[in-house]
Amino acid sequence: MTDKNHTKFEEKELRFRQTLSALPDGVVLLRKDLVIQWMNRIAERDLSLDPEKDVGKKLTDVFTNPEFIQHIQSERWKARQLIDLPDGRVLEVRVISAGKKYTVVVTRDITESKRIDDFRRDFVGNVSHELRTPLTVIQGFLELATENPNLNEEDRLHWEMMLEQAERMRALVDDLLALSRLEQDAAPASRELIDVDEILEEAAAEGRMISGGAHEIKITKVAPEGILGDFKDMRSAVTNLVTNAVRYTPKDGKIELSWEVKDDHGILSVKDNGIGIAPEHIPRVTERFYRVDKSRSRETGGTGLGLAIVKHVLFRHQAQLQIESELGKGSTFKIIISKARLAPPINSKDLLSGTAPGSTRVLGV
């Protein structure tokens, strides 16, 4: 390399490091053997590193947090890792492979944002809990009022409208409490042996009740394998998908439920021929209160929280939600169950006796 080319290379490297130093996030450049090559000032602060002493050492020797060491050694780097530091701070850490020779660790101090999120979650949970009792009382008196045989038609209509809104508020409070519970408990779900056929039957029944006979809801395929998870939460997730399909499928539409196992994963699908979802909306439909068609969801009693609940349930089951949709033709929501959560084919006799492998409850009784 000529002196001129060498000088240009050094200038580019200097500009690159100056850019990284100006970032609001911490950056640590490592060799593939995790030896520290360079770090910016934010990384020094976040990881309590000393550039004069620690460059040339393995990062796992100078930053000995067990959660971080386990994460970086696992090489499962797609997901972020949250680390609680002894001084009370919370770090978000991402590990990125940078070619064949280098690895980059990016850190972000999220202490304040996590505190705000925790406050918001606690506030929503507490308020929802406090609203539940008065709403139950109001709903009860409204139900009694609508049963009064002496009401004229106009008064009865008004009482029924109030009851409908009270029921809607109760559904919203219930969903907020469910979401708050799921957010507070990020631990992996239990490993009960779940009969998927039972979940599909109950979700289909709920969908038919909401539909009132306006849709054809059927189960098309059920594989014999079960799922290892939390029965109540998985039932809630599938029921939310079915009721969501009912709300966004016009009268006389079709909704199909299925469960199949392919290769090393299971696929639980809810398919409809409803209005569909435009591509730009699909990444956001699991956000709380996000509605593709606000007027339609409100008309049919949706709370705007169903898919957010589904997302959190699947996170606890190490499962994924895939959405396939086309405007005017319908949508298919697929719950992808990993091999680790699949159970061997379920025998009905084993279920009744409670002796099926991994079972912790009697199902199908």
Side-chain angles (χ1 to χ4, degrees):
M1 183 184 293
T2 65
D3 291 342
K4 185 176 181 180
N5 289 336
H6 184 72
T7 301
K8 285 184 177 179
F9 177 79
E10 287 183 338
E11 289 176 351
K12 286 182 179 179
E13 183 180 8
L14 178 61
R15 286 198 299 270
F16 178 68
R17 293 193 178 191
Q18 287 174 339
T19 301
L20 292 180
S21 295
L23 290 176
D25 298 335
V27 180
V28 183
L29 179 64
L30 309 174
R31 290 198 319 233
K32 284 299 180 182
D33 57 3
L34 304 184
V35 171
I36 300 171
Q37 301 295 292
W38 180 84
M39 69 193 78
N40 68 1
R41 290 184 179 179
I42 302 297
E44 294 173 24
R45 180 201 68 191
D46 287 349
L47 302 178
S48 299
L49 301 178
D50 185 337
E52 294 184 2
K53 296 180 179 179
D54 296 332
V55 171
K57 297 180 180 178
K58 275 194 173 185
L59 179 58
T60 49
D61 290 338
V62 292
F63 183 67
T64 56
N65 180 278
E67 295 174 340
F68 173 75
I69 292 175
Q70 183 180 4
H71 177 64
I72 199 168
Q73 290 179 344
S74 71
E75 297 189 0
R76 297 174 182 174
W77 297 341
K78 290 184 179 180
R80 65 175 186 166
Q81 177 73 26
L82 298 185
I83 297 175
D84 295 315
L85 298 179
D87 60 7
R89 290 182 297 135
V90 180
L91 286 185
E92 177 186 276
V93 178
R94 294 183 183 273
V95 184
I96 304 166
S97 178
K100 295 180 179 180
K101 294 184 178 180
Y102 297 104
T103 298
V104 177
V105 174
V106 180
T107 67
R108 175 174 294 178
D109 189 331
I110 62 167
T111 307
E112 184 62 17
S113 61
K114 187 174 184 300
R115 185 189 69 80
I116 293 172
D117 284 343
D118 290 344
F119 174 80
R120 173 193 55 78
R121 183 172 59 245
D122 292 343
F123 175 79
V124 170
N126 291 334
V127 169
S128 300
H129 183 75
E130 293 300 323
L131 284 173
R132 199 172 196 172
T133 299
L135 273 175
T136 301
V137 174
I138 292 170
Q139 187 176 340
F141 278 110
L142 288 172
E143 288 173 352
L144 286 174
T146 57
E147 295 172 2
N148 185 349
N150 298 322
L151 284 177
N152 59 50
E153 286 304 314
E154 185 177 2
D155 288 342
R156 186 180 302 280
L157 176 62
H158 293 162
W159 285 109
E160 287 176 351
M161 288 175 63
M162 286 189 285
L163 176 59
E164 181 183 347
Q165 295 305 313
E167 289 172 344
R168 192 173 188 176
M169 288 183 67
R170 177 65 184 269
L172 178 59
V173 166
D174 287 345
D175 279 357
L176 283 170
L177 286 171
L179 195 54
S180 178
R181 175 183 63 82
L182 289 167
E183 287 180 332
Q184 288 176 359
D185 186 6
S190 62
R191 297 177 66 84
E192 303 172 35
L193 176 58
I194 300 172
D195 183 357
V196 183
D197 184 43
E198 182 179 359
I199 283 183
L200 296 183
E201 290 288 355
E202 292 189 14
E206 182 76 13
R208 293 185 188 106
M209 183 180 70
I210 292 175
S211 169
H215 304 81
E216 179 186 346
I217 303 176
K218 63 180 181 179
I219 299 170
T220 59
K221 183 187 298 184
V222 182
E225 288 85 354
I227 294 175
L228 299 175
D230 186 297
F231 179 86
K232 184 178 178 180
D233 282 351
M234 282 301 297
R235 179 179 58 189
S236 172
V238 179
T239 299
N240 271 305
L241 292 182
V242 174
T243 55
N244 193 66
V246 169
R247 293 185 176 106
Y248 287 95
T249 301
K251 185 179 179 181
D252 297 325
K254 295 182 179 180
I255 298 167
E256 297 179 351
L257 288 69
S258 66
W259 164 242
E260 54 187 329
V261 175
K262 293 182 177 180
D263 300 325
D264 60 349
H265 63 278
I267 306 173
L268 199 160
S269 300
V270 178
K271 180 180 180 181
D272 65 65
N273 61 349
I275 62 175
I277 307 170
E280 64 268 21
H281 292 299
I282 290 178
R284 298 192 61 191
V285 294
T286 58
E287 295 177 11
R288 59 178 69 204
F289 298 116
Y290 187 85
R291 291 183 173 96
V292 175
D293 186 339
K294 296 178 176 60
S295 61
R296 184 177 186 87
S297 182
R298 288 195 178 98
E299 287 172 2
T300 53
T303 64
L305 295 172
L307 293 181
I309 291 173
V310 171
K311 179 181 74 173
H312 282 83
V313 169
L314 299 191
F315 174 78
R316 293 189 63 224
H317 285 80
Q318 296 82 51
Q320 296 178 336
L321 180 65
Q322 291 184 1
I323 305 172
E324 301 169 1
S325 188
E326 187 175 349
L327 279 176
K329 293 189 177 181
S331 306
T332 302
F333 287 76
K334 295 180 178 179
I335 296 175
I336 309 300
I337 303 294
S338 66
K339 183 178 181 180
R341 287 281 179 175
L342 288 178
I346 295 175
N347 182 292
S348 58
K349 291 182 179 179
D350 290 340
L351 285 172
L352 290 172
S353 64
T355 58
S359 64
T360 59
R361 57 177 286 157
V362 178
L363 303 174
V365 178

